[in-house]
Amino acid sequence: MDQSEVGMAPINGRLIRIQIEKPSATKKWPNGFWAILKVMCLFYHRTVVPRKKTCYGCTVDKFKEGIRAGAVHDMDSLEMKPMLVQYEYQDPRRVVGCGTDGEYTSLLDQEESACPICDTLWWNQDGMAENYSEEDIGIGRWNHRGSGLLSLVLLLGALAFIIYDIVNFLDKLWGKPDLILRMMIKMTLYIILIIYPLLSLCSKLRSRLPTALANLRWASALNVRYLIKRGQILGIGRKGLPGKMLLFLFQLTPLIVALYRFLIFTVISKCGFNWSTIVTSLIGVIYGQWYGLYMYLLYFVRISFQREFNLLLIYFRENEGNDTRCRGAFFATVLDFLCFKQLVNLSIFVMFPALVFAVSGNITYEYLLSNTRCVAEDELNRSVAHHTLRLAWSEVFVSLVSYLIAMGGIHAEYIFDDFVGRLLHLRSGQNWIFWSHLNIDISYVTKNSHFLLVSTIFSFISIFMAFNFGTQDITDLAFCNDTMHEDLCV
């Protein structure tokens, strides 16, 4: 926050007492960042910037002191879990126990210490410890009272909205063999669109029920406190939001696809305006924007870790041989990274089989449309069929390309692999005990995940199912009996 002090300055040959304003070390963060978090319904906790940040070692020391003082009675307290302490406590007075004076104590409310590992939790873009408060970064009105409830209501309302539309079109299309392929292709789009709101809702439940959902570590990656730390590493107060052009494209492309869908429903197919058309069009706009913002958040977090791993390399170089400092800073960063890695793997697990099925289904659909002899002679049906196919391809293209650009690849492992590769170049012939300990830590982090294997299996199943639908009797397909535009209007 801005501070001021009184000083003397010579004016017209006389010393005059003046008030000197001292600029804040931390500039207010751009409103665009807070607007993204608000639109994505990410605000939940009333307090998002703790007064103090403590490393896991200091947290354990505080816990030990509480046991000795009789303030902690539950040895299995989840306050000991680092990710819960850093991001998931409900308020700054989240208690470990009750002291002898009857006052609550918190693991975060420690006396000032000179712990160098705790300082790494405040790193800015230059690797310097820079403390800040909510007032410093300008969160202000963005996280008002009731923000958490508002986020929950909007998420649940949006989910109810899309579930209503899914049930509506399934009721109209279910049991019709000639429409099964189009129904399955449409379902893949809804699966992709619904990913973010479901993940965000799980993150809220994790914050609300940390004991019951303690193993959902990935959910912390959608916590505002977690994202603020990512912004801290990127120095967005001084440099602004990174990738503004990408943010624009991530918002523009889903909007164009949604507009195209609206034109197909209302103009090309001549369905006109009805409740079903309005709902489907709104879902395309709202969920498309959410998907684009989710891709931007993946990009935002990804480049923040790339910067933080660079800072970690410099820290290792400066503190080579200091096992406690380097391993403490390493695990503080890696615990955050593992949350992000699990979130990305979960997104891949859900998204890629759906995309593979959509691609296979579109190929099958296009083959049937272009090779069958019974293509509708009616110009309207032919036009609707072709435009629907183009819409499906555009949805697949935007979803896949946006993800690949956001992540810079398919998964997040390459970020850590790149860090390890550069770390090997720093390794010297000295301090071999230090480096052997670090190698053990790295091997723990690089354990393979089964998400990719399972996702691959589901992808092959999706290919088989999509092409298997192509073996059905195509004489009953909608574009063969001049009902394509009518079926689209249901």
Side-chain angles (χ1 to χ4, degrees):
M1 292 182 291
D2 292 346
Q3 298 177 345
S4 61
E5 62 181 17
V6 176
M8 305 294 290
I11 300 178
N12 296 328
R14 300 174 59 188
L15 286 176
I16 305 296
R17 186 183 297 273
I18 62 172
Q19 191 155 343
I20 303 174
E21 295 292 332
K22 297 172 65 177
S24 171
T26 302
K27 294 184 178 180
K28 292 188 183 299
W29 291 12
N31 287 329
F33 177 73
W34 305 121
I36 290 173
L37 301 186
K38 194 69 175 179
V39 170
M40 296 186 73
C41 303
L42 287 172
F43 284 109
Y44 182 75
H45 297 96
R46 188 68 183 94
T47 302
V48 295
V49 178
R51 186 168 59 90
K52 299 173 185 176
K53 295 183 181 180
T54 57
C55 66
Y56 192 53
C58 291
T59 300
V60 173
D61 289 342
K62 184 68 175 179
F63 190 80
K64 180 175 63 177
E65 293 174 6
I67 294 175
R68 291 175 177 174
V72 178
H73 306 290
D74 184 7
M75 291 295 294
D76 297 323
S77 172
L78 285 177
E79 291 284 357
M80 284 291 289
K81 294 194 174 183
M83 299 309 294
L84 293 179
V85 173
Q86 289 294 330
Y87 303 117
E88 302 298 349
Y89 60 89
Q90 291 297 324
D91 58 66
R93 295 175 65 80
R94 176 77 174 176
V95 298
V96 181
C98 189
T100 56
D101 56 357
E103 293 294 327
Y104 286 120
T105 58
S106 169
L107 289 178
L108 296 179
D109 292 334
Q110 299 191 80
E111 293 79 10
E112 295 292 340
S113 63
C115 175
I117 302 175
C118 292
D119 288 341
T120 64
L121 301 178
W122 291 102
W123 272 353
N124 60 14
Q125 73 278 6
D126 299 317
M128 305 295 293
E130 181 181 331
N131 296 57
Y132 55 87
S133 65
E134 293 184 5
E135 291 77 12
D136 292 333
I137 59 179
I139 189 171
R141 66 185 183 279
W142 294 103
N143 189 27
H144 53 79
R145 188 177 300 276
S147 289
L149 179 61
L150 179 62
S151 296
L152 279 175
V153 169
L154 290 177
L155 283 173
L156 291 173
L159 285 172
F161 203 49
I162 196 172
I163 290 173
Y164 166 80
D165 194 47
I166 291 174
V167 172
N168 183 56
F169 84 76
L170 282 180
D171 182 62
K172 304 274 181 69
L173 302 180
W174 190 263
K176 296 183 179 180
D178 57 323
L179 296 177
I180 187 171
L181 187 58
R182 188 162 67 86
M183 181 186 71
M184 296 300 294
I185 293 174
K186 190 171 183 178
M187 278 300 300
T188 60
L189 169 66
Y190 279 83
I191 291 173
I192 294 171
L193 291 180
I194 208 171
I195 288 176
Y196 168 72
L198 284 179
L199 295 180
S200 183
L201 186 61
C202 288
S203 178
K204 303 292 185 299
L205 293 175
R206 151 89 164 183
S207 298
R208 182 63 181 173
L209 304 170
T211 303
L213 303 174
N215 291 326
L216 293 182
R217 290 193 302 174
W218 59 264
S220 292
L222 290 175
N223 190 308
V224 170
R225 295 165 176 167
Y226 182 96
L227 296 172
I228 286 177
K229 185 178 179 182
R230 297 297 97 211
Q232 162 194 322
I233 293 293
L234 290 173
I236 63 175
R238 293 185 176 87
K239 296 187 176 182
L241 279 176
K244 294 184 181 67
M245 182 56 67
L246 278 181
L247 175 60
F248 174 73
L249 292 176
F250 287 155
Q251 293 292 276
L252 179 63
T253 49
L255 195 61
I256 293 175
V257 172
L259 179 61
Y260 186 32
R261 182 186 299 107
F262 177 76
L263 290 176
I264 292 175
F265 287 150
T266 59
V267 179
I268 298 175
S269 66
K270 299 182 180 179
C271 293
F273 290 93
N274 55 58
W275 176 247
S276 178
T277 302
I278 294 173
V279 170
T280 303
S281 300
L282 285 176
I283 286 175
V285 173
I286 296 172
Y287 280 81
Q289 293 302 297
W290 266 352
Y291 181 83
L293 289 175
Y294 180 54
M295 292 300 103
Y296 178 75
L297 278 189
L298 291 182
Y299 164 79
F300 183 85
V301 177
R302 187 254 296 181
I303 62 173
S304 75
F305 277 115
Q306 289 175 325
R307 176 178 289 274
E308 188 167 8
F309 281 131
N310 288 338
L311 298 176
L312 204 56
L313 286 173
I314 299 173
Y315 191 78
F316 283 174
R317 185 67 172 177
E318 294 175 345
N319 296 276
E320 182 179 349
N322 192 324
D323 197 66
T324 302
R325 282 194 178 191
C326 290
R327 294 182 73 189
F330 174 78
F331 274 109
T333 299
V334 164
L335 284 174
D336 284 353
F337 177 73
L338 289 178
C339 289
F340 176 62
K341 175 184 172 182
Q342 290 180 1
L343 176 66
V344 172
N345 286 340
L346 184 59
S347 299
I348 292 174
F349 174 74
V350 177
M351 185 188 306
F352 269 56
L355 284 174
V356 169
F357 185 90
V359 170
S360 305
N362 287 344
I363 292 174
T364 303
Y365 195 81
E366 186 164 10
Y367 174 80
L368 295 175
L369 182 62
S370 59
N371 288 277
T372 181
R373 297 179 179 178
C374 62
V375 175
E377 297 180 359
D378 184 82
E379 184 67 27
L380 177 59
N381 284 281
R382 185 184 301 109
S383 176
V384 170
H386 283 290
H387 280 289
T388 303
L389 187 59
R390 291 169 190 164
L391 174 65
W393 277 119
S394 64
E395 290 166 346
V396 170
F397 178 80
V398 169
S399 300
L400 181 59
V401 172
S402 296
Y403 174 82
L404 293 176
I405 292 176
M407 284 304 303
I410 296 178
H411 50 69
E413 280 82 355
Y414 81 92
I415 302 173
F416 188 77
D417 292 342
D418 181 60
F419 163 73
V420 172
R422 287 178 292 155
L423 187 62
L424 292 176
H425 287 286
L426 288 180
R427 183 171 180 172
S428 63
Q430 302 174 345
N431 303 311
W432 65 272
I433 296 179
F434 165 78
W435 289 107
S436 62
H437 287 170
L438 201 56
N439 284 337
I440 294 174
D441 298 337
I442 290 173
S443 63
Y444 169 78
V445 176
T446 54
K447 289 191 299 185
N448 291 327
S449 170
H450 298 294
F451 273 118
L452 188 58
L453 175 62
V454 176
S455 180
T456 303
I457 294 173
F458 275 108
S459 297
F460 280 112
I461 294 175
S462 299
I463 293 175
F464 170 78
M465 290 178 62
F467 281 109
N468 188 58
F469 283 134
T471 62
Q472 61 185 324
D473 184 6
I474 61 176
T475 59
D476 290 330
L477 288 177
F479 52 73
C480 292
N481 53 29
D482 293 344
T483 62
M484 184 68 188
H485 71 283
E486 296 175 4
D487 293 321
L488 191 69
C489 298
V490 298

